[in-house]
Amino acid sequence: VAYLPAAGRVLTACRDGLVRAWSPADTHAPITHFKGHTLTVLGLDALEELGQACSGARDYTVRLWDLETADCIQTSKVARNVVTFVRRVPGERAVAQTGEDLRVRVWDVRDFSAAAQTLEGHVNIPHCCDVSPDGNYLVSCSNGFDDGTGCEVKVWDRRVGKVLFEMRSHEMSTNCCAILPALGAL
């Protein structure tokens, strides 16, 4: 789900491969459909000031959408990159994306021909990511097993592309993560 405050819209992603735009004033039917993904959409975030949204799906694609026309502006397809999450990078024309190929990629929305940055180091599938308000740090969390193997949360310094530290005390898969800026600097 992505909220567009200026437009007064909500975007949703679905198992049917569609992204939908809704008006909170009329929840009976979506305003429009964004068609292009062929499998479940698992990641979605808005770049509202650019008039765009980005989605990622199990079909190995990351797609950039025009919010006004619902047209797909760009698509990137990377083999074995089953997209698990998409998050906007604050202060940049970029989105971060996690995938089942054990990588976190950052895409410059002006050019999807290749990832602007690739962070490698996950041993288990990363499920989610978040980016600090200044865009310098990224946190990602991953799948694991009932015995606590895997389940790690990694904090990355994007400026050098390295893990700063890991948190490993979860006993099962870590499915969500967030950076809370009020807690201070990493």
Side-chain angles (χ1 to χ4, degrees):
V1 176
Y3 177 57
L4 307 169
R9 293 183 185 169
V10 175
L11 300 178
T12 59
C14 192
R15 190 175 187 146
D16 63 7
L18 294 175
V19 172
R20 292 173 173 85
W22 302 82
S23 167
D26 179 11
T27 58
H28 297 294
I31 297 167
T32 192
H33 296 79
F34 299 79
K35 299 176 184 177
H37 287 295
T38 58
L39 293 172
T40 303
V41 181
L42 295 171
L44 175 65
D45 209 350
L47 297 96
E48 186 175 18
E49 75 283 357
L50 301 176
Q52 300 170 341
C54 189
S55 61
R58 295 195 61 80
D59 61 5
Y60 308 134
T61 65
V62 176
R63 293 180 180 270
L64 186 67
W65 304 96
D66 182 296
L67 289 172
E68 204 55 42
T69 65
D71 292 335
C72 182
I73 302 167
Q74 292 192 70
T75 302
S76 177
K77 185 171 186 173
V78 177
R80 297 189 337 234
N81 182 30
V82 174
V83 178
T84 57
F85 197 78
V86 173
R87 172 67 74 212
R88 163 93 194 250
V89 177
E92 296 180 33
R93 291 176 178 237
V95 293
Q97 166 258 304
T98 58
E100 288 189 9
D101 65 353
L102 307 180
R103 292 174 175 88
V104 178
R105 290 182 175 83
V106 177
W107 299 94
D108 183 323
V109 299
R110 295 168 291 194
D111 181 9
F112 270 21
S113 62
Q117 182 176 33
T118 302
L119 304 172
E120 298 187 44
H122 275 283
V123 177
N124 296 289
I125 296 168
H127 286 288
C128 182
C129 68
D130 197 12
V131 184
S132 63
D134 63 7
N136 291 333
Y137 301 98
L138 183 142
V139 62
S140 59
C141 61
S142 67
N143 193 27
F145 302 93
D146 291 347
D147 64 357
T149 306
C151 314
E152 72 268 12
V153 176
K154 293 180 181 289
V155 177
W156 306 81
D157 185 331
R158 287 192 52 227
R159 296 165 295 184
V160 295
K162 303 282 184 198
V163 174
L164 289 176
F165 56 91
E166 292 185 5
M167 295 167 270
R168 294 185 162 270
S169 62
H170 292 89
E171 295 178 7
M172 294 188 170
S173 290
T174 310
N175 297 318
C176 296
C177 57
I179 291 178
L180 302 174
L183 294 179
L186 296 173

